Amino acid sequence: MAATMMLLPALMGPPGAWVLAGAAAVALVAAIYPWPVKWISPARSAGAVAGLSLVLDFVWSGVAGQVLLWLPFEMTALLVLLYRVIRRAPRPHVSWLGGLAGTAVVLLPLRMTLHAPQPGWRESVFMALLAFLPAAGATGVGLYLRSLDDRRARAVTEALRDQRGEVARDLHDFVAHEVTGIVLEAQAAQLDDGARERNDELYARIEQAGTRALDAMDQMVRTLRTGEGGTWAEPPATRLYGLADLAELVGRFAAMTGARTELNQEDGIAGVLAREADDAAYRAVLESLTNIRRHAPHASRIAVSTGRTADRAVEVTVADDGGGTPAPTRDGGGTGLAGLAERVGALGGTLEAGPHGGGWRVRCVLPAPAAR
C-alpha cells in the first residue's frame, strides 16, 4: 500500500519522475517490511537500498523540483534502515553497512542541489550538513540500543553460566555424597569374614561401579564448569542447610563408617551466620566427609568442630587421622573444594585444606554479622 501511494503521483509527472518514485517506494518497503524473507536479510536489503540511492544521486538527470515530492519519504526510510543496520547488523558487517547507509542519507539532498537552476557547492555542503544531523541521531540511537542488547545478552549468558555452576555444585554435594556411601558399604561388607567368601566378587563389582559413577560425575562437573569465570554470588535454588543440621549429617556419616566420629559444636553457634554463609559452612563439612570416605576409607577417628575465633568469626574444621594407610589415588575430583573456596571467598571468608597430624584437615572461617 505504501509503495502504491509513492508511485501514484508519478502517473501525472514526466518519465523521470518514475525513477524517483520507484527509489522512494523501494526504500519505504525495505524500511517497513518484516525481514528476513528467504535469503534476503535486513542487512542485505539495507545495503542494496543505500547503494541504489547513492547511484541515483549521481546518474539521475531531471528537474530539481521533482525531487521535493519524494525526497522526505526516501530520507525517512533511509534513516530507519540506518538505525536498523547499526542496531541489528552482524558485528563484522555493521561498520561498512552503517557507513553506506549513513552516506546515502547525507548525500541524498545532492540529488536536488546538483540539479538546481544555479547549482553551487555552498548549497550542497549546507544541505549535506543538515542531513548529517538526523543521520547522527539515528546512529546514536542504534548504538545505544545495541549496547543495551549486548548487555542483556551478556547478562543472560552469565545467568546461564551461574546456573550451570549451581547444578555442578548440587550434583557434587548431594549425588557424590550418596554414591560414595554405596562404595563405603561395599568396602565394609568385604571385611565381614562370614560373607566375604560368598559375596566378595559381588561387592567388588559394586565398589567398581560406584567408583566409575564418581569418576563420570567428576567429568560432568568439570564439563558444567567449563568457561565459568565468575564467582558464586547468589544463594542456590535448592534448600539451604546450616550448622543446625550438622548433628544429623555427622550422625548419618557415623552410622555408615566404622571410624569414631565426633562433633564438637559450641553452644549457640547455630543461627549466628547469615543464611548463605550458614549453608556454605554445612557444605564445607559435607564435602570434607565425602572426601574422607573416598580418599581416607581407613581413617579411625574423625573430628568435626565449630566455634568462634578471636575476632568473633565462625570457624568450622573437619580433620581425620588418615588411619595409617594412604587411600588409593584417583584421577579427577578436586572440583568440590575449589568451588567451595570460591563460594566462601565471595562471602568474605577463607577455606584451607591440607595435611594435618598424619591425616587431612579442612578449615573454613566465615565472618559473622555484627551483633545489633
Side-chain angles (χ1 to χ4, degrees), residues 62-66 68 111-120 123:
V63 180
Q66 297 177 359
L68 292 174
R111 196 179 301 174
M112 181 178 61
T113 59
L114 292 179
H115 298 89
Q118 295 180 347
E123 290 79 4

Side-chain angles (χ1 to χ4, degrees), residues 353-371:
H356 177 77
W360 192 267
R361 184 183 72 168
V362 176
R363 179 176 179 266
C364 175
V365 179
L366 287 159

Side-chain angles (χ1 to χ4, degrees), residues 288 303 315-320 337 352-357 359-363:
S288 301
E315 179 185 53
V316 180
T317 61
V318 181
D320 67 84
L337 288 178
E352 303 170 351
H356 177 77
W360 192 267
R361 184 183 72 168
V362 176
R363 179 176 179 266

Side-chain angles (χ1 to χ4, degrees), residues 248-259:
E248 179 185 358
L249 174 65
V250 174
R252 289 203 318 266
F253 178 84
M256 298 173 65
T257 180

